[in-house]
Structures are given as structure tokens and as C-alpha cells.
Amino acid sequence: MNTTDARSHPGLSGAPPRWYGHGLNRGASYRAAAIVAAALPRPARLRLAGGVARLLRWAFAGERAVVGANVGRILPHATPPARAALVDDVFRHFAMCFSDLITANRDGRPERLLADVEGEHHLAAIARDGRGAIVLTAHLGNWELAGRLMALRMGRPTHVVVAPEADPRVERFLRGGPAPVRFVPRDEPRAALPLVAALRRGEIVAMQGDRALGTRGDVGVRFFDAEAAFPLGPFFLARASGVPVVPAFCVLGRDRRYTVRVGEPLRIEADGEQAALERWVGTLERTVRAHPEQWFNFYDVWSPVAAR
């Protein structure tokens, strides 16, 4: 894949991207949803979540248009009715994953939702080496739940790097309760230094790898036959710490349980960060193609500024 450094690519540098926000992303909305969800058994709760997604779909016409355009890049030969059905599936799966997150986040038992871990031998090999690892995921499936599941599975201190929420009440709701992980705000000053130390102690750092940060560390990579910006930072962190990058995704199955899919670890050679990024983007592309209904990006990923 061809890449372009942000410093020489118009539009990849400049103001940090805003990605996406909406009026329901408020603490009161999360609390209300959690109260309703906690009162229902899970099958009924998931049905309700899907029904709410169908009910609200026309209130998010702009988001539906963007998701439809994304779907068109992923499946360019799909018929218009098939694309429209897939857009509905994206919103339905997002609602179900959100429902599971807000309930599992409060009861502290996310492992009961786990069906399987594919590629667990990769985790076992890292455990035998006694080395740390960067677990790299994306906004696909239940990524917030994935960090908790991986921490429980690997049995090591786990640090999850997160973007701060616009509403502090949402931050407290999602990350203020008991959890088997330590949340690290991405804009925390000098956050990379303790992460390097943690990785060298054999601990785990979980990060997102599918959204550009609007910094000089963004790189343009071919993604579904068009250039999109991706962050290079996780790979610099891995090389500085001497640890591998492990792709992992938490996908909702037809049985309504989650499977964590762990890919082959990426070893970062000297000056090999960009090559490793390209391999990661290839893995992400294959996973999105396999599960387009669970890729939750409600903005134009291929926009030059990756957000507007």
C-alpha cells in the first residue's frame, strides 16, 4: 500500500478532527438508557434496542447518508436496496452493542457475554515470553467491552487509552465504576512515558487504530481503494517499548454473544512503523469487509481532514 506522511499531504495536518457528536451523547441519556436496560432480561433488551434504532433512524438522516456512503465504498457492487438494509443493520448493531456496554459496565461481569476467543494462541505466546503488548482495535463491534474482556482473559494489568468525552458525566458513567482496566486519557500530558514503562513491565496497553488524530503523526494509507488517514503513534510506542502490536476485534455473533478475534502479532523492526501500519490497515480492511454491519463510523473516513 502507498502511504503519505501528513507533513506532505494537504489536509492531513491542521486542527484535530472532531469525528462525530450528537445531542444524545449526554450523561442523562446514558443514565436513562441504563435504567431501562437493567430492568429487562437481555433478549428483551436487545430487541428493544433494535426497535429504538429503527424508530430513530429517520431522525439521523445525515448520519444515515454518511454510513450509506461508507457502505458504498466497502461493497461497491451492492444494489441500492442491499445498501439501505445494511445501513439499517449498522444502526441496529450499534444499539445492541451500546445496550450491552452500559449493562456490563455496571454489573462488572462482561465475561458472561463472551462466546469464544479466536487466535488465543497468540496471547498465550506473548504470556510465555513475559513481554507486554499493544492490543490495537477499531470502532468495530463492542470495542469498549473488548478492553475489559482482554484484561480478564490475559490476567495482566491493562491500560486502555481513550479519547476524553465531551460531557464529563458520560466519562464518569462509562469509566467511573469498577473495571479490570485503567483508563488513560489520550490528551493527558506525558501519557506516553508511563505507558512505555508499563509495557516494559509486561503489561498490556489497548488502543484504537482507525481514526486519525489530526497531528503530524497521521499517515495516508490506501483503504478500500482510496487514501484515508491513520495514526502512526501506536507503532512508535510499540518500537520504543520493544513489544508487538496485536490486532483484536470484538464482534457480535448471530447467537448474540461476542467473539474476540485476535490476529497475528506485528513485530516492529527499526524504522518499520509505517510498514506495520500498512499491515494493520490491511487487517482492518478485511475485518470491516467481513462485518460491515458492525463498523461504527458516522463520518467520512476518507475526507482529507478525516472529520468535517
Side-chain angles (χ1 to χ4, degrees), residues 7-33:
R7 289 167 289 187
S8 61
H9 187 281
L12 290 188
S13 58
R18 291 174 52 248
W19 293 310
Y20 174 71
H22 60 81
L24 293 179
N25 194 37
R26 298 290 182 268
S29 303
Y30 279 64
R31 288 195 299 274

Side-chain angles (χ1 to χ4, degrees), residues 26-37 98 102 106 167 169-170 172-173:
R26 298 290 182 268
S29 303
Y30 279 64
R31 288 195 299 274
I35 291 170
V36 173
F98 175 74
I102 61 175
R106 309 312 288 183
D167 185 343
R169 292 169 296 180
V170 173
R172 289 193 296 271
F173 181 90

Side-chain angles (χ1 to χ4, degrees), residues 124-308:
I126 291 171
R128 285 194 300 271
D129 290 344
R131 305 172 68 187
I134 293 177
V135 175
L136 198 60
T137 188
H139 293 81
L140 188 148
N142 209 325
W143 65 91
E144 287 257 9
L145 192 64
R148 294 163 169 82
L149 292 172
M150 293 291 284
L152 293 169
R153 203 74 175 189
M154 299 189 74
R156 296 201 213 175
T158 300
H159 311 262
V160 178
V161 180
V162 296
E165 296 288 342
D167 185 343
R169 292 169 296 180
V170 173
E171 187 83 28
R172 289 193 296 271
F173 181 90
L174 289 176
R175 297 155 191 155
V181 300
R182 171 180 174 261
F183 294 104
V184 181
R186 194 181 58 221
D187 61 351
E188 186 176 283
R190 297 181 295 277
L193 298 178
L195 292 179
V196 170
L199 289 165
R200 289 177 176 171
R201 290 194 301 267
E203 298 175 6
I204 305 300
V205 171
M207 307 180 74
Q208 295 279 1
D210 64 335
R211 289 187 179 177
L213 305 181
T215 69
R216 293 169 65 87
D218 294 342
V219 173
V221 180
R222 298 290 293 181
F223 183 54
F224 289 104
D225 296 323
E227 189 172 88
F230 291 89
L232 199 57
F235 304 93
F236 280 116
L237 180 61
R239 186 162 74 90
S241 309
V243 303
V245 172
V246 183
F249 305 93
C250 185
V251 179
L252 184 62
R254 292 184 179 180
D255 63 353
R256 297 299 179 249
R257 298 180 70 203
Y258 292 93
T259 295
V260 175
R261 295 190 172 139
V262 181
E264 182 177 355
L266 306 176
R267 310 286 175 177
I268 317 301
E269 306 295 336
D271 299 321
E273 295 89 354
Q274 191 161 304
L277 171 63
E278 293 177 4
R279 290 165 60 195
W280 152 252
V281 172
T283 298
L284 175 63
E285 182 173 311
R286 290 189 295 274
T287 306
V288 170
R289 197 185 301 276
H291 302 282
E293 78 288 349
Q294 296 187 52
W295 191 44
F296 305 133
N297 270 316
F298 302 99
Y299 71 98
D300 181 4
V301 176
W302 291 269
S303 166
V305 292
R308 301 295 168 77

Side-chain angles (χ1 to χ4, degrees), residues 114-134:
L114 182 63
D116 192 16
V117 178
E118 297 179 0
E120 193 164 15
H121 61 283
H122 295 309
L123 303 180
I126 291 171
R128 285 194 300 271
D129 290 344
R131 305 172 68 187
I134 293 177

